[in-house]
Amino acid sequence: MEKTIGFDNIDHVMNLFGSQDENVKAIEEIMGVNIVPRGTDIKIIGEEDAVLKTTEVIEKLMRIARDGDAITRQNSIYIATLLREGAFESGEYPADYVCLNANGKPIKSKTYGQKQYVDNIKNNDIVFGIGPAGTGKTFLAVAMAVTAFRSDQVKRIILTRPAVEAGEKLGFLPGDLQSKIDPYLRPLYDSLFEIMGAEAFQRCKEKGLIEIVPLAYMRGRTLDDSFIILDEAQNTTKEQMKMFLTRMGFYSKVVVTGDITQIDLPGDKKSGLLESEKILKNIKGVGFSYLTERDVVRHELVQKIIKAYDKYENRSGKKG
């Protein structure tokens, strides 16, 4: 079967094809078709079902181009894979606006899983975002926190994570207390810098409107009018998780993020994140979002690495 799609903007067509046609080559490989450019027209050649699905892939990608965003090899692969497997549950490519970053560029959910995660945060007071590295769990949570702060829905942003070393001993760290804990909290600083800008972040931090603290410092506090994020929650114990969740005060929102495949706790300690799934899953107002390798928005090799490790760990019984 052959089908020709006509477009009225050559720049959008060039955006679709990408550098050295890398986007279209990825679509051709996944869908098993040939895609041939003819000016502003695109001809698709292949089996009927594949041609029809490829047409839908191209139409969804063109919506991204019309929104003024760059089409990448990554989102080309993502949409083509979902449509090939019949797993695309939304009529539109999910590019929901969350907020502007420090450079005025819009931050959007880039996958259907991310869209569900953002919607979950909007609709629940406590949300658990669980998934592998690179799926935007922390970044989107910080973006939602900044959005709530900018719109006066909350008065403070509080970010915390357990100070657990990732499988290596760092030894003695020189300097005052802040310099000792900063390496553990650096990923949170990075997200805030990108979204708010260093100067705006520093001003808010000095006024106490933004706090970035180790989890141990949360004990004994009651946090009203706050957007609170617990990052790397797979490295909390059951007792720490309970302590953290009970800090929540009135008019506050809590997001807990973690990757259950990267638990760095000693062997005799159970992850508070794993326990919370069993204990809290049926409580109204508590939402769980599960992101997968499909939602990875880093280099496409990250998806392949995650799949390879999952396959190995499932086969050897080492997962958890």
Side-chain angles (χ1 to χ4, degrees):
M1 178 181 177
E2 294 185 10
K3 182 173 181 178
T4 300
I5 315 172
F7 299 97
D8 57 7
N9 190 315
I10 189 63
D11 290 333
H12 292 171
V13 175
M14 292 173 66
N15 190 352
L16 170 70
F17 274 76
S19 175
Q20 297 181 334
D21 298 344
E22 63 175 359
N23 302 339
V24 163
K25 287 176 182 176
I27 297 169
E28 287 179 326
E29 183 178 346
I30 292 167
M31 305 304 289
V33 298
N34 291 322
I35 300 173
V36 183
R38 292 283 186 271
T40 55
D41 292 342
I42 296 171
K43 182 184 288 187
I44 307 168
I45 306 166
E47 297 292 329
E48 182 177 359
D49 184 60
V51 168
L52 294 175
K53 286 182 177 177
T54 303
T55 301
E56 195 172 351
V57 171
I58 290 172
E59 287 172 349
K60 289 181 185 299
L61 289 170
M62 279 300 194
R63 293 189 187 113
I64 297 175
R66 285 193 287 269
D67 287 342
D69 293 332
I71 299 170
T72 66
R73 174 178 162 83
Q74 188 174 42
N75 55 28
S76 300
I77 291 171
Y78 173 75
I79 293 176
T81 301
L82 287 188
L83 280 166
R84 183 192 63 190
E85 297 175 2
F88 210 106
E89 301 177 41
S90 172
E92 294 286 332
Y93 177 71
D96 286 6
Y97 170 83
V98 178
C99 67
L100 295 175
N101 70 9
N103 297 319
K105 184 177 179 181
I107 295 170
K108 303 176 181 180
S109 53
K110 295 181 178 179
T111 70
Y112 187 71
Q114 288 189 350
K115 180 182 184 298
Q116 288 184 311
Y117 177 46
V118 168
D119 289 344
N120 223 353
I121 294 173
K122 290 176 182 177
N123 297 327
N124 291 281
D125 289 333
I126 298 177
V127 172
F128 290 80
I130 301 171
T135 50
K137 304 181 301 293
T138 303
F139 187 76
L140 285 172
V142 172
M144 291 295 288
V146 172
T147 300
F149 179 72
R150 286 172 174 169
S151 60
D152 294 323
Q153 296 175 47
V154 296
K155 294 179 180 177
R156 289 184 298 174
I157 297 174
I158 299 170
L159 302 99
T160 185
R161 61 177 359 202
V164 175
E165 295 164 351
E168 55 185 320
K169 297 297 182 184
L170 301 180
F172 174 76
L173 292 171
D176 59 15
L177 179 63
Q178 193 63 43
S179 356
K180 291 176 191 293
I181 64 176
D182 271 356
Y184 295 104
L185 305 174
R186 177 52 53 188
L188 301 176
Y189 283 105
D190 291 344
S191 295
L192 280 167
F193 284 174
E194 181 172 344
I195 296 167
M196 298 185 73
E199 290 184 10
F201 164 73
Q202 196 59 42
R203 284 196 305 270
C204 290
K205 188 169 180 289
E206 288 170 0
K207 293 177 182 178
L209 303 175
I210 294 178
E211 294 182 50
I212 305 179
V213 294
L215 180 59
Y217 285 42
M218 301 293 285
R219 189 175 298 278
R221 303 182 66 182
T222 300
L223 305 171
D224 296 327
D225 297 300
S226 302
F227 198 116
I228 313 147
I229 299 172
L230 170 59
D231 192 33
E232 299 289 346
Q234 74 275 3
N235 289 328
T236 62
T237 63
K238 178 180 175 181
E239 294 76 18
Q240 286 175 322
M241 180 65 77
K242 180 181 177 183
M243 178 276 292
F244 169 76
L245 292 174
T246 53
R247 300 309 93 203
M248 182 181 183
F250 293 106
Y251 311 112
S252 289
K253 189 177 287 284
V254 170
V255 178
V256 177
T257 70
D259 177 0
I260 57 176
T261 68
Q262 294 189 11
I263 297 172
D264 300 309
L265 292 170
D268 60 336
K269 296 284 188 182
K270 289 188 176 180
S271 168
L273 182 59
L274 288 173
E275 292 283 315
S276 66
E277 287 185 273
K278 302 172 187 175
I279 296 169
L280 304 175
K281 62 181 180 181
N282 295 320
I283 296 181
K284 188 177 180 180
V286 178
F288 285 84
S289 287
Y290 297 92
L291 299 157
T292 71
E293 74 277 353
R294 280 179 175 165
D295 301 299
V296 170
V297 290
R298 293 179 185 167
H299 193 287
E300 65 186 82
L301 272 176
V302 175
Q303 293 184 357
K304 296 178 182 178
I305 290 167
I306 291 167
K307 281 184 178 179
Y309 269 93
D310 282 347
K311 185 177 179 181
Y312 170 76
E313 289 166 352
N314 285 328
R315 187 171 62 245
S316 60
K318 295 180 181 179
K319 195 158 186 173

Short mmCIF file of all heavy atoms in Angstrom, two decimals, residues 141-142 144-159 192 196 204-213 217-218 220-229 247-254:
data_model
loop_
_atom_site.label_atom_id
_atom_site.label_comp_id
_atom_site.label_asym_id
_atom_site.label_seq_id
_atom_site.Cartn_x
_atom_site.Cartn_y
_atom_site.Cartn_z
N ALA A 141 8.27 16.75 39.47
CA ALA A 141 7.77 17.09 40.80
C ALA A 141 8.23 18.48 41.21
O ALA A 141 7.44 19.28 41.74
CB ALA A 141 8.24 16.05 41.82
N VAL A 142 9.49 18.81 40.93
CA VAL A 142 10.01 20.14 41.24
C VAL A 142 9.30 21.19 40.39
O VAL A 142 8.95 22.28 40.88
CB VAL A 142 11.54 20.20 41.03
CG1 VAL A 142 12.05 21.63 41.15
CG2 VAL A 142 12.25 19.30 42.04
N MET A 144 6.25 21.06 39.24
CA MET A 144 4.91 21.23 39.81
C MET A 144 4.97 22.03 41.11
O MET A 144 4.09 22.84 41.41
CB MET A 144 4.28 19.87 40.06
CG MET A 144 3.92 19.11 38.78
SD MET A 144 2.65 19.93 37.80
CE MET A 144 1.21 19.63 38.82
N ALA A 145 6.04 21.81 41.89
CA ALA A 145 6.21 22.58 43.13
C ALA A 145 6.41 24.06 42.83
O ALA A 145 5.81 24.93 43.48
CB ALA A 145 7.40 22.03 43.92
N VAL A 146 7.25 24.36 41.85
CA VAL A 146 7.50 25.76 41.47
C VAL A 146 6.22 26.40 40.93
O VAL A 146 5.91 27.56 41.23
CB VAL A 146 8.65 25.85 40.43
CG1 VAL A 146 8.77 27.26 39.88
CG2 VAL A 146 9.96 25.40 41.06
N THR A 147 5.44 25.64 40.16
CA THR A 147 4.16 26.14 39.64
C THR A 147 3.23 26.50 40.79
O THR A 147 2.59 27.57 40.78
CB THR A 147 3.50 25.08 38.74
OG1 THR A 147 4.37 24.78 37.65
CG2 THR A 147 2.18 25.57 38.20
N ALA A 148 3.11 25.61 41.77
CA ALA A 148 2.24 25.87 42.93
C ALA A 148 2.74 27.06 43.74
O ALA A 148 1.95 27.89 44.23
CB ALA A 148 2.18 24.63 43.81
N PHE A 149 4.05 27.21 43.85
CA PHE A 149 4.66 28.33 44.59
C PHE A 149 4.42 29.65 43.88
O PHE A 149 4.03 30.65 44.49
CB PHE A 149 6.15 28.06 44.76
CG PHE A 149 6.90 29.14 45.49
CD1 PHE A 149 6.74 29.32 46.85
CD2 PHE A 149 7.77 29.98 44.81
CE1 PHE A 149 7.43 30.32 47.53
CE2 PHE A 149 8.47 30.97 45.46
CZ PHE A 149 8.30 31.15 46.83
N ARG A 150 4.63 29.65 42.56
CA ARG A 150 4.46 30.88 41.79
C ARG A 150 3.01 31.35 41.79
O ARG A 150 2.74 32.56 41.70
CB ARG A 150 4.93 30.66 40.35
CG ARG A 150 6.44 30.59 40.18
CD ARG A 150 6.79 30.17 38.75
NE ARG A 150 8.22 30.23 38.49
CZ ARG A 150 8.81 29.72 37.41
NH1 ARG A 150 8.07 29.10 36.49
NH2 ARG A 150 10.12 29.81 37.24
N SER A 151 2.07 30.42 41.88
CA SER A 151 0.64 30.78 41.85
C SER A 151 0.05 30.92 43.25
O SER A 151 -1.17 30.97 43.40
CB SER A 151 -0.15 29.73 41.05
OG SER A 151 0.00 28.45 41.64
N ASP A 152 0.92 30.98 44.26
CA ASP A 152 0.51 31.18 45.66
C ASP A 152 -0.38 30.08 46.21
O ASP A 152 -1.13 30.30 47.17
CB ASP A 152 -0.19 32.54 45.83
CG ASP A 152 0.76 33.70 45.60
OD1 ASP A 152 1.94 33.60 45.99
OD2 ASP A 152 0.32 34.70 45.01
N GLN A 153 -0.32 28.88 45.61
CA GLN A 153 -1.05 27.75 46.19
C GLN A 153 -0.36 27.24 47.44
O GLN A 153 -0.99 26.67 48.32
CB GLN A 153 -1.16 26.62 45.15
CG GLN A 153 -1.97 26.98 43.92
CD GLN A 153 -1.92 25.87 42.89
OE1 GLN A 153 -2.10 24.70 43.21
NE2 GLN A 153 -1.66 26.22 41.64
N VAL A 154 0.97 27.42 47.50
CA VAL A 154 1.74 27.07 48.69
C VAL A 154 2.69 28.23 49.00
O VAL A 154 2.99 29.05 48.12
CB VAL A 154 2.56 25.77 48.50
CG1 VAL A 154 1.64 24.58 48.28
CG2 VAL A 154 3.55 25.90 47.35
N LYS A 155 3.15 28.27 50.24
CA LYS A 155 4.05 29.35 50.66
C LYS A 155 5.51 28.91 50.67
O LYS A 155 6.41 29.75 50.70
CB LYS A 155 3.66 29.84 52.05
CG LYS A 155 2.29 30.51 52.09
CD LYS A 155 1.94 30.96 53.51
CE LYS A 155 0.56 31.62 53.53
NZ LYS A 155 0.15 32.00 54.92
N ARG A 156 5.75 27.60 50.68
CA ARG A 156 7.11 27.10 50.75
C ARG A 156 7.28 25.85 49.89
O ARG A 156 6.32 25.12 49.65
CB ARG A 156 7.48 26.70 52.19
CG ARG A 156 7.66 27.84 53.15
CD ARG A 156 8.11 27.31 54.51
NE ARG A 156 7.12 26.42 55.10
CZ ARG A 156 7.31 25.72 56.22
NH1 ARG A 156 8.47 25.77 56.83
NH2 ARG A 156 6.35 24.96 56.72
N ILE A 157 8.51 25.64 49.45
CA ILE A 157 8.89 24.38 48.80
C ILE A 157 9.94 23.73 49.69
O ILE A 157 10.93 24.36 50.07
CB ILE A 157 9.49 24.62 47.40
CG1 ILE A 157 8.45 25.26 46.47
CG2 ILE A 157 10.01 23.31 46.81
CD1 ILE A 157 9.01 25.65 45.12
N ILE A 158 9.71 22.47 50.02
CA ILE A 158 10.65 21.73 50.87
C ILE A 158 11.04 20.46 50.14
O ILE A 158 10.17 19.65 49.77
CB ILE A 158 10.04 21.41 52.24
CG1 ILE A 158 9.68 22.72 52.96
CG2 ILE A 158 11.01 20.57 53.08
CD1 ILE A 158 8.86 22.54 54.20
N LEU A 159 12.33 20.29 49.91
CA LEU A 159 12.83 19.10 49.23
C LEU A 159 13.78 18.37 50.16
O LEU A 159 14.61 18.98 50.81
CB LEU A 159 13.56 19.49 47.93
CG LEU A 159 12.73 20.28 46.92
CD1 LEU A 159 13.02 21.76 47.03
CD2 LEU A 159 13.00 19.79 45.51
N LEU A 192 16.13 22.78 40.54
CA LEU A 192 15.64 24.13 40.89
C LEU A 192 16.37 25.21 40.12
O LEU A 192 15.77 26.20 39.70
CB LEU A 192 15.78 24.36 42.40
CG LEU A 192 14.67 23.73 43.25
CD1 LEU A 192 15.05 23.75 44.71
CD2 LEU A 192 13.35 24.47 43.05
N MET A 196 14.08 27.65 38.07
CA MET A 196 13.93 28.99 38.66
C MET A 196 15.03 29.96 38.27
O MET A 196 14.82 31.18 38.28
CB MET A 196 13.89 28.89 40.19
CG MET A 196 12.75 28.08 40.76
SD MET A 196 12.73 28.16 42.56
CE MET A 196 12.13 29.84 42.81
N CYS A 204 15.00 33.03 47.29
CA CYS A 204 13.96 32.27 48.01
C CYS A 204 14.56 31.42 49.12
O CYS A 204 13.96 31.29 50.20
CB CYS A 204 13.20 31.37 47.03
SG CYS A 204 12.15 32.28 45.87
N LYS A 205 15.74 30.88 48.89
CA LYS A 205 16.40 30.07 49.90
C LYS A 205 16.78 30.92 51.11
O LYS A 205 16.60 30.53 52.27
CB LYS A 205 17.63 29.40 49.30
CG LYS A 205 18.30 28.36 50.20
CD LYS A 205 19.32 27.58 49.40
CE LYS A 205 20.01 26.53 50.26
NZ LYS A 205 20.93 27.12 51.24
N GLU A 206 17.31 32.11 50.84
CA GLU A 206 17.70 33.00 51.94
C GLU A 206 16.51 33.45 52.77
O GLU A 206 16.62 33.68 53.98
CB GLU A 206 18.44 34.22 51.37
CG GLU A 206 19.84 33.89 50.86
CD GLU A 206 20.46 35.04 50.08
OE1 GLU A 206 19.78 36.10 49.95
OE2 GLU A 206 21.60 34.90 49.61
N LYS A 207 15.34 33.58 52.14
CA LYS A 207 14.12 33.98 52.86
C LYS A 207 13.43 32.80 53.53
O LYS A 207 12.40 32.98 54.20
CB LYS A 207 13.14 34.64 51.88
CG LYS A 207 13.63 35.97 51.32
CD LYS A 207 12.62 36.50 50.30
CE LYS A 207 13.09 37.82 49.69
NZ LYS A 207 12.14 38.31 48.65
N GLY A 208 13.96 31.59 53.35
CA GLY A 208 13.35 30.41 53.95
C GLY A 208 12.14 29.91 53.20
O GLY A 208 11.39 29.07 53.71
N LEU A 209 11.94 30.40 51.96
CA LEU A 209 10.80 29.96 51.16
C LEU A 209 11.08 28.64 50.46
O LEU A 209 10.15 27.95 50.04
CB LEU A 209 10.44 31.03 50.13
CG LEU A 209 10.12 32.42 50.71
CD1 LEU A 209 9.90 33.42 49.58
CD2 LEU A 209 8.90 32.34 51.62
N ILE A 210 12.36 28.32 50.32
CA ILE A 210 12.78 27.02 49.77
C ILE A 210 13.77 26.40 50.74
O ILE A 210 14.73 27.05 51.16
CB ILE A 210 13.43 27.17 48.38
CG1 ILE A 210 12.40 27.66 47.35
CG2 ILE A 210 14.01 25.83 47.92
CD1 ILE A 210 12.97 27.86 45.97
N GLU A 211 13.52 25.16 51.09
CA GLU A 211 14.44 24.42 51.96
C GLU A 211 14.83 23.13 51.25
O GLU A 211 14.00 22.44 50.68
CB GLU A 211 13.78 24.05 53.29
CG GLU A 211 13.43 25.21 54.18
CD GLU A 211 12.82 24.73 55.49
OE1 GLU A 211 13.43 23.84 56.14
OE2 GLU A 211 11.74 25.20 55.84
N ILE A 212 16.13 22.81 51.32
CA ILE A 212 16.62 21.53 50.82
C ILE A 212 17.41 20.90 51.96
O ILE A 212 18.48 21.39 52.32
CB ILE A 212 17.50 21.70 49.56
CG1 ILE A 212 16.74 22.47 48.48
CG2 ILE A 212 17.94 20.35 49.03
CD1 ILE A 212 17.54 22.70 47.22
N VAL A 213 16.85 19.84 52.53
CA VAL A 213 17.41 19.31 53.78
C VAL A 213 17.46 17.78 53.74
O VAL A 213 16.66 17.15 53.04
CB VAL A 213 16.58 19.76 55.00
CG1 VAL A 213 16.66 21.26 55.20
CG2 VAL A 213 15.12 19.32 54.86
N TYR A 217 16.37 15.62 59.15
CA TYR A 217 16.04 16.94 59.71
C TYR A 217 14.54 17.23 59.68
O TYR A 217 14.11 18.29 60.12
CB TYR A 217 16.77 18.04 58.93
CG TYR A 217 18.24 18.13 59.25
CD1 TYR A 217 19.02 16.98 59.37
CD2 TYR A 217 18.87 19.36 59.39
CE1 TYR A 217 20.36 17.05 59.65
CE2 TYR A 217 20.23 19.44 59.67
CZ TYR A 217 20.96 18.28 59.79
OH TYR A 217 22.30 18.34 60.07
N MET A 218 13.75 16.29 59.16
CA MET A 218 12.30 16.50 59.08
C MET A 218 11.58 16.10 60.36
O MET A 218 10.43 16.48 60.57
CB MET A 218 11.73 15.69 57.91
CG MET A 218 12.31 16.03 56.56
SD MET A 218 11.88 17.68 56.01
CE MET A 218 10.19 17.41 55.53
N GLY A 220 9.89 15.85 63.82
CA GLY A 220 9.36 16.82 64.78
C GLY A 220 8.72 18.04 64.16
O GLY A 220 8.19 18.89 64.87
N ARG A 221 8.70 18.14 62.82
CA ARG A 221 8.14 19.32 62.16
C ARG A 221 6.71 19.05 61.69
O ARG A 221 6.33 17.91 61.42
CB ARG A 221 8.99 19.72 60.96
CG ARG A 221 10.44 20.00 61.29
CD ARG A 221 11.21 20.44 60.07
NE ARG A 221 10.76 21.73 59.57
CZ ARG A 221 11.25 22.31 58.48
NH1 ARG A 221 12.19 21.72 57.77
NH2 ARG A 221 10.80 23.48 58.10
N THR A 222 5.93 20.13 61.60
CA THR A 222 4.61 20.08 60.95
C THR A 222 4.63 21.11 59.83
O THR A 222 4.91 22.29 60.07
CB THR A 222 3.48 20.41 61.94
OG1 THR A 222 3.52 19.46 63.00
CG2 THR A 222 2.13 20.34 61.24
N LEU A 223 4.37 20.68 58.62
CA LEU A 223 4.58 21.52 57.45
C LEU A 223 3.25 21.90 56.81
O LEU A 223 2.66 21.12 56.06
CB LEU A 223 5.48 20.79 56.45
CG LEU A 223 6.84 20.31 57.03
CD1 LEU A 223 7.55 19.41 56.05
CD2 LEU A 223 7.69 21.51 57.41
N ASP A 224 2.79 23.13 57.12
CA ASP A 224 1.57 23.67 56.51
C ASP A 224 1.92 24.48 55.27
O ASP A 224 3.04 24.99 55.13
CB ASP A 224 0.84 24.58 57.51
CG ASP A 224 0.35 23.84 58.74
OD1 ASP A 224 -0.01 22.66 58.60
OD2 ASP A 224 0.34 24.43 59.82
N ASP A 225 0.95 24.62 54.36
CA ASP A 225 1.10 25.49 53.18
C ASP A 225 2.40 25.22 52.43
O ASP A 225 3.08 26.14 52.00
CB ASP A 225 1.03 26.97 53.58
CG ASP A 225 -0.31 27.34 54.17
OD1 ASP A 225 -1.32 27.21 53.47
OD2 ASP A 225 -0.34 27.75 55.35
N SER A 226 2.74 23.95 52.26
CA SER A 226 4.03 23.59 51.68
C SER A 226 3.86 22.55 50.57
O SER A 226 2.92 21.75 50.60
CB SER A 226 4.97 23.03 52.75
OG SER A 226 5.17 23.96 53.79
N PHE A 227 4.77 22.59 49.62
CA PHE A 227 4.89 21.53 48.62
C PHE A 227 6.16 20.78 48.99
O PHE A 227 7.26 21.32 48.94
CB PHE A 227 5.01 22.12 47.22
CG PHE A 227 4.71 21.13 46.12
CD1 PHE A 227 3.63 21.31 45.27
CD2 PHE A 227 5.52 20.02 45.91
CE1 PHE A 227 3.34 20.39 44.25
CE2 PHE A 227 5.25 19.11 44.91
CZ PHE A 227 4.15 19.29 44.08
N ILE A 228 6.01 19.52 49.40
CA ILE A 228 7.11 18.76 49.99
C ILE A 228 7.45 17.58 49.07
O ILE A 228 6.56 16.81 48.70
CB ILE A 228 6.73 18.23 51.38
CG1 ILE A 228 6.09 19.35 52.21
CG2 ILE A 228 7.94 17.66 52.10
CD1 ILE A 228 5.03 18.86 53.17
N ILE A 229 8.71 17.45 48.72
CA ILE A 229 9.16 16.38 47.84
C ILE A 229 10.20 15.53 48.56
O ILE A 229 11.19 16.07 49.07
CB ILE A 229 9.76 16.93 46.53
CG1 ILE A 229 8.72 17.73 45.76
CG2 ILE A 229 10.31 15.79 45.66
CD1 ILE A 229 9.28 18.48 44.56
N ARG A 247 4.58 14.34 58.60
CA ARG A 247 4.95 15.78 58.75
C ARG A 247 3.95 16.67 58.03
O ARG A 247 3.94 17.88 58.21
CB ARG A 247 6.34 16.06 58.15
CG ARG A 247 7.53 15.31 58.73
CD ARG A 247 7.63 15.39 60.22
NE ARG A 247 6.95 14.27 60.84
CZ ARG A 247 6.48 14.28 62.08
NH1 ARG A 247 6.58 15.35 62.82
NH2 ARG A 247 5.87 13.21 62.57
N MET A 248 3.15 16.09 57.15
CA MET A 248 2.26 16.88 56.28
C MET A 248 1.23 17.65 57.09
O MET A 248 0.55 17.09 57.94
CB MET A 248 1.56 15.93 55.31
CG MET A 248 0.65 16.61 54.31
SD MET A 248 -0.13 15.35 53.26
CE MET A 248 -1.05 16.42 52.15
N GLY A 249 1.14 18.96 56.83
CA GLY A 249 0.17 19.80 57.52
C GLY A 249 -0.97 20.20 56.59
O GLY A 249 -1.17 19.64 55.51
N PHE A 250 -1.72 21.23 57.02
CA PHE A 250 -2.86 21.70 56.23
C PHE A 250 -2.39 22.42 54.97
O PHE A 250 -1.36 23.10 54.96
CB PHE A 250 -3.71 22.65 57.07
CG PHE A 250 -4.41 21.97 58.21
CD1 PHE A 250 -3.98 22.14 59.51
CD2 PHE A 250 -5.51 21.14 57.99
CE1 PHE A 250 -4.61 21.52 60.58
CE2 PHE A 250 -6.16 20.51 59.03
CZ PHE A 250 -5.71 20.69 60.33
N TYR A 251 -3.19 22.28 53.89
CA TYR A 251 -2.96 22.96 52.61
C TYR A 251 -1.58 22.63 52.03
O TYR A 251 -0.95 23.47 51.38
CB TYR A 251 -3.11 24.48 52.78
CG TYR A 251 -4.38 24.87 53.49
CD1 TYR A 251 -4.33 25.44 54.77
CD2 TYR A 251 -5.63 24.65 52.93
CE1 TYR A 251 -5.49 25.79 55.45
CE2 TYR A 251 -6.80 24.98 53.61
CZ TYR A 251 -6.71 25.55 54.87
OH TYR A 251 -7.86 25.88 55.54
N SER A 252 -1.14 21.41 52.26
CA SER A 252 0.15 20.98 51.73
C SER A 252 -0.04 19.84 50.72
O SER A 252 -1.08 19.20 50.69
CB SER A 252 1.08 20.51 52.86
OG SER A 252 1.52 21.60 53.63
N LYS A 253 0.99 19.65 49.92
CA LYS A 253 1.01 18.56 48.93
C LYS A 253 2.35 17.85 49.07
O LYS A 253 3.39 18.49 49.28
CB LYS A 253 0.82 19.11 47.53
CG LYS A 253 0.61 18.03 46.46
CD LYS A 253 0.36 18.63 45.11
CE LYS A 253 -1.01 19.26 44.95
NZ LYS A 253 -2.09 18.26 44.77
N VAL A 254 2.33 16.53 48.96
CA VAL A 254 3.54 15.72 49.10
C VAL A 254 3.74 14.87 47.86
O VAL A 254 2.79 14.24 47.37
CB VAL A 254 3.43 14.81 50.35
CG1 VAL A 254 4.57 13.79 50.37
CG2 VAL A 254 3.44 15.64 51.63
#
